[in-house]
Structures are given as structure tokens and as C-alpha cells.
Amino acid sequence: MAENQSAATGSRFNAYMALTLATVSMIVCFMAWSNFAPLASDIAVMFHLSVSQRTLLLATPVLLGSIMRIPMGILSDKYGGKKVYLLLMIFILIPLFMITRVHTFAMLLVAALLVGMAGTSFAVGVSYASVWFPPQQQGLALGIVSMGNMGNAVAALTLPWISKTHGFDAVYYFLMILTVVLAILFGVLCKEMPVDKTKTMRGALSVAKESSTWYLSLFYFLTFGLFVSFTNLTPLFLGDVFGVPQITAGLYAALFAGLCTIIRPIGGFAADKKRPMQMLQWIFIGIAAFALLIMLTFKMQALFVTGIVGVGLVAGFGNGVIFKMVPYVSKGNTGAVTGFVGAMGGLGGFFPPLVVGWIHGITGHYQLGIFLLVLTALLCWFVLWRRFIHGDVHIVK
């Protein structure tokens, strides 16, 4: 009896330590992943960038960080999230150091592409943390580990101040030190997750045959894509349209990212109690409504910020609801499903800055780009309504 109790206590300790350090490590990785957005004004001056070049720079890290979530999630399932997480944090140090040495926009883009690997920490972290908790607790647990997204907000709060007070290069030395510290803590304090070494790449990729993988990917393309793209675009909007200083604009971006992240576990907890698909239809309607408010208030800063906050709250809640369903798609392949869904969510953050920059270059305005967000939200609502609300498909019974 005492031995069983000790084992249970040890298991709980391992679970809570895995959840805690996976989350904190993801915060640091996301700080690296989103480092350019808070510093966009400084970088634009240093490299003489146009609006379209700035949006390209913001989008570039998102590309690799999205696509590589698929293999990284699969590798975590097969070899263990701890090993993959440690190798990832070591790799991130390379592009962070590169950024302090580049002198051309082309080389900056190369470094931005490589630092995008930090975004794959999401697939690794979810795969690693999810195995320690039973299904009835996974909505909340995955909501908590996904709060690593808060790295975007932390970056927006801290990096502009570090750049202003200690210089541009100090930002990247700071990020490198944080990454090394977390890698050491993770390596020492966390146990490796149980893995099935007989898994094959072909078996993991079989999740692509599950229609639910692609429906969740579409929905996450909208909700998580909003989180990434608006965290990056908010400082650009506020600075370009309203003339808000870089540090203040960074605070607004941090507010958006923080709200979007903090409410995520609430969405996961709610999805543990209620039917997730029923809640999602109201989430998509809410996104469309707040996006419409943003589109119509580009000359009214208070209402514009209200729209930004509203979108952050609704999208963050939706992120938690969607990821409640991920472990149910294919048993034992949570990392693989997370990779696919997370990749599409990341691509949802990659394309909007490029489209917004392209539309602004043609029209001189941002409103049409926001209108495309309204249409995307309505499309997701229609697909959800037809397939899951009026259909007979249920991911979570």
C-alpha cells in the first residue's frame, strides 16, 4: 500500500513537473519565435524596410515553425518529448546568435527562417505533457501547457525595453541565456515520457487519413492563426495608423497575446464539461463580429483596441476548445495530430501578414485584409454547422 502510494506521488510529481517546465520552456521558445514583432520599428530603420518587407520578416519565422510541427510532433511520440525538446532548445541558439551578426536583409531572413523552429515547441510540448494526464483532465492540462503561447506577450513586454536600454544585440543574448537555463532545468528535473518505439513514420502519418484531423486543422488555422498574426500585426497597425510609439504598441500587443493565452485553459476546461463543437459555433460568430468592428474603426483607436481585445479573448477560448479534441482523433498519435493541427494553425499566422502587406501596398489601406478574416470565420462556422452540428460526426462523444 505504502509502495503504491509512493509510486502515485512520484507519478504526480513527474506529471506536474512535466507540465510546468514544458509550459515555461514553451514561453521562452515563443519569445524567440516572436522576437521580431516588438522590435519591428527598430529593425525597419536599421535595414531600411518597406511595409511589405516588414510583414515578410514577421511572417518568415512562422513558416518553418508551422511546417516542422508535423515531424517534430511525430519524433516526440516515437523518441520522447524530453529528448526532442532539449535538442530543439540547443538548435535555437544558432539563429539567435546569427541575428546579432547579420548586416543584410537577406541574411536576416535566413536567420528568421531558422529561428522559426522555436515555434515547433508547441507540438513537442503538447505531446510531452499530454501523456501524464487522463483523458478527463486533458482539456485543462493541454490548455495550461499551451499557455506557453504567452511567450509572445512576454516578448512584447520585455524586448523593446531591453533594446532601448541595453542595445539591440542585448535582446538576443538575453534570449540565449534564458534558453540555456531552461534547457538545463528541463534536462535535470524532467523525466522522459513513455514511448512506443515500434511506431513508424507511416503509422504516425496515418492521422492524415482522419477527416477530423483536417477539420480541426481548419478551425485552428483561424483561431491560432489569429493569435500569431495579430500579435505580430498589432504593433504595425497601431504605429502606422495611429502613430503609437513602439514600446506602447508593444504593450498593446502583449495585452492581446496575454488575454488570448490566459483564457485558453478556461476554454479547455469548459470543453471538458460541455460539447466542444457546440461552443465552437459561437466562437466563430464572435470572431466575425469583432473582426468587423476592427475593420470599421481604423480611425477610432479606442474602438479599434476593443475589437483587438475581443478577438483575442474569443480566439484564445477557441484554441482551448479545439485542443480538447486533439487526443481523441487517433489514440497514441497525439504528437502527430498536434503536428498537423498546429502546423495549420501556424500557417494561419503566416499568410495574414503577407496578405495584409500586399493589400496595403496596392490600396494603401488595411481594411480589406481584415474583411478576409470575417469571411474566413463565416466559412469555418458554415463547415462546422454542416458537418458537426447538423451532421452525425462527433470527435468527443
Side-chain angles (χ1 to χ4, degrees):
M1 179 77 72
E3 184 178 340
N4 290 339
Q5 186 175 9
S6 175
T9 302
S11 178
R12 283 198 300 272
F13 174 82
N14 293 333
Y16 295 143
M17 187 59 65
L19 184 63
T20 300
L21 283 179
T23 304
V24 177
S25 297
M26 196 188 300
I27 289 174
V28 173
C29 288
F30 267 63
M31 288 178 69
W33 195 36
S34 62
N35 76 87
F36 292 115
L39 306 173
S41 296
D42 287 348
I43 295 172
V45 173
M46 292 167 61
F47 290 89
H48 311 289
L49 305 183
S50 65
V51 170
S52 60
Q53 287 176 317
R54 286 171 66 181
T55 54
L56 175 61
L57 179 64
L58 295 177
T60 297
V62 180
L63 180 62
L64 195 66
S66 303
I67 295 172
M68 289 301 293
R69 285 181 176 187
I70 297 173
M72 293 294 278
I74 293 171
L75 289 172
S76 296
D77 283 342
K78 183 174 177 61
Y79 297 108
K82 177 180 176 178
K83 298 183 190 72
V84 177
Y85 225 146
L86 288 173
L87 289 172
L88 173 62
M89 285 189 273
I90 292 169
F91 177 85
I92 291 169
L93 296 173
I94 299 170
L96 288 175
F97 181 74
M98 282 178 62
I99 294 170
T100 66
R101 294 293 182 266
V102 300
H103 300 289
T104 66
F105 180 58
M107 287 305 299
L108 185 64
L109 284 179
V110 172
L113 183 68
L114 295 178
V115 85
M117 280 297 294
T120 66
S121 60
F122 179 80
V124 181
V126 168
S127 172
Y128 177 68
S130 65
V131 300
W132 302 97
F133 296 90
Q136 65 270 22
Q137 296 178 0
Q138 285 188 345
L140 179 59
L142 293 181
I144 291 172
V145 74
S146 298
M147 287 182 69
N149 297 347
M150 191 178 291
N152 291 46
V154 177
L157 283 172
T158 59
L159 301 191
W161 178 83
I162 293 172
S163 179
K164 184 176 181 180
T165 56
H166 299 285
F168 181 78
D169 289 352
V171 169
Y172 298 94
Y173 295 128
F174 171 70
L175 290 174
M176 284 187 275
I177 291 169
L178 279 183
T179 303
V180 170
V181 169
L182 261 297
I184 293 171
L185 291 175
F186 201 88
V188 172
L189 297 176
C190 289
K191 281 191 67 175
E192 184 58 277
M193 61 189 261
V195 296
D196 180 2
K197 295 186 178 180
T198 64
K199 283 186 178 180
T200 63
M201 183 68 74
R202 183 177 180 179
L205 289 174
S206 66
V207 301
K209 298 178 182 178
E210 300 282 348
S211 63
S212 295
T213 299
W214 297 107
Y215 283 108
L216 291 183
S217 295
L218 171 64
F219 301 154
Y220 204 60
F221 178 89
L222 173 63
T223 59
F224 187 74
L226 265 175
F227 167 74
V228 175
S229 57
F230 266 64
T231 301
N232 288 336
L233 288 172
T234 295
L236 176 65
F237 288 153
L238 293 174
D240 198 30
V241 177
F242 299 105
V244 176
Q246 178 173 281
I247 292 180
T248 305
L251 292 175
Y252 279 112
L255 173 65
F256 171 83
L259 289 173
C260 201
T261 301
I262 289 170
I263 200 170
R264 181 167 183 152
I266 299 175
F269 179 76
D272 284 337
K273 308 297 181 185
K274 306 287 185 181
R275 275 195 65 196
M277 290 300 182
Q278 292 289 351
M279 287 188 285
L280 272 182
Q281 61 179 331
W282 298 109
I283 288 164
F284 296 150
I285 291 171
I287 288 172
F290 281 114
L292 193 61
L293 175 64
I294 293 170
M295 187 184 77
L296 298 175
T297 57
F298 262 89
K299 296 191 181 298
M300 294 173 278
Q301 186 174 337
L303 288 176
F304 178 86
V305 171
T306 300
I308 293 286
V309 169
V311 161
L313 288 171
V314 177
F317 191 89
N319 287 335
V321 172
I322 291 167
F323 256 84
K324 160 66 180 180
M325 294 177 273
V326 164
Y328 290 84
V329 173
S330 179
K331 187 175 180 180
N333 285 316
T334 299
V337 180
T338 298
F340 276 94
V341 176
M344 290 301 294
L347 290 175
F350 171 73
F351 288 109
L354 293 179
V355 172
V356 165
W358 178 69
I359 290 174
H360 184 274
I362 295 174
T363 66
H365 302 288
Y366 295 109
Q367 283 88 334
L368 180 57
I370 303 300
F371 181 65
L372 294 178
L373 168 59
V374 177
L375 293 181
T376 303
L378 293 177
L379 171 66
C380 287
W381 173 83
F382 176 74
V383 170
L384 172 74
W385 177 82
R386 183 164 184 172
R387 177 75 173 176
F388 295 97
I389 305 301
H390 273 249
D392 57 355
V393 179
H394 304 290
I395 296 176
V396 179
K397 306 300 182 186

